Amino acid sequence: MERIKPRTLSGFMELLPARQTQFERMLETLRTTYALYGFTPLDTPVIESAEILLAKGGGETEKQIYRFTKGDSDLALRFDLTVPLAKYVALHYGDLAFPFRRYQIGKVYRGERAQRGRFREFYQCDIDVIGDGKLDVSNEAEIPAIIYQAFTSLGLERFKIRVNNRKILTGFYEMQGLSAQSGEIMRTVDKLDKIGPEKVQALLVEQGISQAAAQEILRFIAITGSNAQVLAALEAYRGRNQVFDQGLEELGLVVKYLASFGVPEDHFAVDLTIARGLDYYTGTVYETVMLDHPEIGSICSGGRYDNLAEYYTDKKLPGVGISIGLTRLFYVLGEQGYLNDGLVTSPADVLVLPMTEDFTAAISFATQLRQGGVRAQVYGEQKKFKGKMSYADKLGIPYVAFLGEDEIAQGVVKIKDMATGEQQTLSPAQAVDTVAAALAQRAQGKPIREKD
């Protein structure tokens, strides 16, 4: 028989057990965080009708989507979690309570060119709050608080949430008489970090913007300082454009509420260069960057939008949300040495080694451990003692329990701490309590830590 060489497709991530355990702990931390803020979990099909997923269609989406037919059905793999959410809310509108707060963690698929840190199959983690007709601006202030809580819970410290309001940008360009060109201008301004202000100004002039207007644009987006200083500088533009004024009111409220939501000033910055989704976001917009690695780009982004499900219903469903590309974030954290290798969770807390042909006592003790909340595995393979200990060591299992004829006769169990080499002979009940207490003491760490 000719054997096929095992391989994993380019752009698809496959982890070894230790890394997979870290990834699962990361997922669990995020789920716990979102539940803390009153978000409900949601799952939607990976495969949808192509008509549903491509309702908006066009551009890069059409090129990147995985699309296929099965019988007469035209199907596609989801490329994000927002379009399935829109379908879900339109379909179940009558059964949902609004505002509808959901989080979803799931795989999405994009057939783009695979490269380091960019995948074709990857996990996205989205949270959204959807309103029925209206949605209060306080929801826009809560989102950065959730981002802050999520990343600090993952053990990250040096990150900054950059926030702007699209109405401020829209209003500013209306004031300059540049509404028609605002999209192109914002795309050019977005290159500021990469090419610098002089080249941005030159590009703007090339696009037909006057020298004076180009200088005014650069002066505007160069407004920096503390959040209070940026807001004070923006006050100078108040009263000249209604959309601008509304954006400034909303941004002021977001900044005001953030302190109450527990977000420190040094983790949050008003940044007038943030634009995002020109044809989608309509209010507050967010990008989150790691301060020591700006080259990574935004690790979490999103914003306020006016009408989530316009392609599926005539009901106005405004919302605000963010998305974290988890697979990319996990890959980058690993590359930069942020994943804490010392906190890899082993598949079991205790490896129970039966030292007799009859496994009854070993199985009973493993059951007792599990009933006490301790993860246990019975090792039944007929290997030499050294091989059994090597197995526990390789998997990082912290304790090994021995049950030989003497232990069984005396109604005790021998427990070895693999880290210290210390052995204790205890009753089964004492052994369960001792291991459970030691594990609780050790479980002070987090799955991801800030680099030393």
Side-chain angles (χ1 to χ4, degrees), residues 37 52 100 115 139 167 212 231 339 366:
Y37 284 82
I52 293 288
F100 175 56
Q115 49 188 304
N139 292 284
K167 289 173 187 157
L231 289 173
L339 296 179

Side-chain angles (χ1 to χ4, degrees), residues 18-23 25 330 333-346 394-396 446-450 452:
R19 277 285 192 253
Q20 186 65 44
T21 302
Q22 288 179 320
F23 190 72
R25 290 182 68 181
F330 186 78
L333 291 172
E335 284 273 290
Q336 303 295 348
Y338 281 79
L339 296 179
N340 191 339
D341 294 320
L343 288 171
V344 174
T345 304
S346 58
K394 192 169 184 179
L395 289 180
K446 292 177 180 175
I448 294 175
R449 61 165 170 80
E450 193 69 6
D452 296 328

Side-chain angles (χ1 to χ4, degrees), residues 277-304:
L278 302 177
D279 58 345
Y280 186 65
Y281 294 113
T282 54
T284 310
V285 284
Y286 320 96
E287 285 191 354
T288 308
V289 293
M290 293 180 69
L291 293 175
D292 298 328
H293 296 285
E295 75 280 0
I296 293 168
S298 178
I299 55 173
C300 172
S301 56
R304 168 72 182 243

Side-chain angles (χ1 to χ4, degrees), residues 200-228:
V200 166
Q201 185 172 327
L203 281 174
L204 291 171
V205 172
E206 276 178 35
Q207 290 162 14
I209 310 294
S210 72
Q211 196 77 34
Q215 287 171 350
E216 179 61 27
I217 289 165
L218 284 164
R219 258 197 306 273
F220 178 76
I221 61 168
I223 295 172
T224 52
S226 69
N227 294 327

Side-chain angles (χ1 to χ4, degrees), residues 238-252:
R238 189 188 283 278
R240 293 161 57 185
N241 180 276
Q242 190 179 353
V243 176
F244 181 95
D245 291 356
Q246 190 183 347
L248 186 53
E249 286 292 328
E250 291 175 1
L251 188 59

Side-chain angles (χ1 to χ4, degrees), residues 39-44 84-103 128-133 308-309 313 315 317-318:
F39 285 80
T40 188
L42 176 65
D43 194 17
T44 57
L85 171 65
K87 178 218 74 175
Y88 180 91
V89 175
L91 184 62
H92 301 288
Y93 173 84
D95 300 311
L96 298 175
F98 290 91
F100 175 56
R101 298 163 68 89
R102 83 84 172 89
Y103 74 85
D128 287 87
V129 185
I130 310 300
D132 186 5
L308 173 78
T313 177
K315 292 180 175 67
L317 299 167

Side-chain angles (χ1 to χ4, degrees), residues 16 31-32 40 43 100 102 114 142-143 153 184 187 192 219 224 226 260 285 294 310 318 348 360 367 375 425:
L16 287 170
R31 288 189 185 102
T32 303
T40 188
D43 194 17
F100 175 56
R102 83 84 172 89
E142 188 180 34
I143 294 290
S153 296
E184 194 176 0
R187 277 186 283 272
L192 190 66
R219 258 197 306 273
T224 52
S226 69
S260 301
V285 284
E310 60 184 321
T360 304
T367 301
R375 299 171 306 145
T425 301

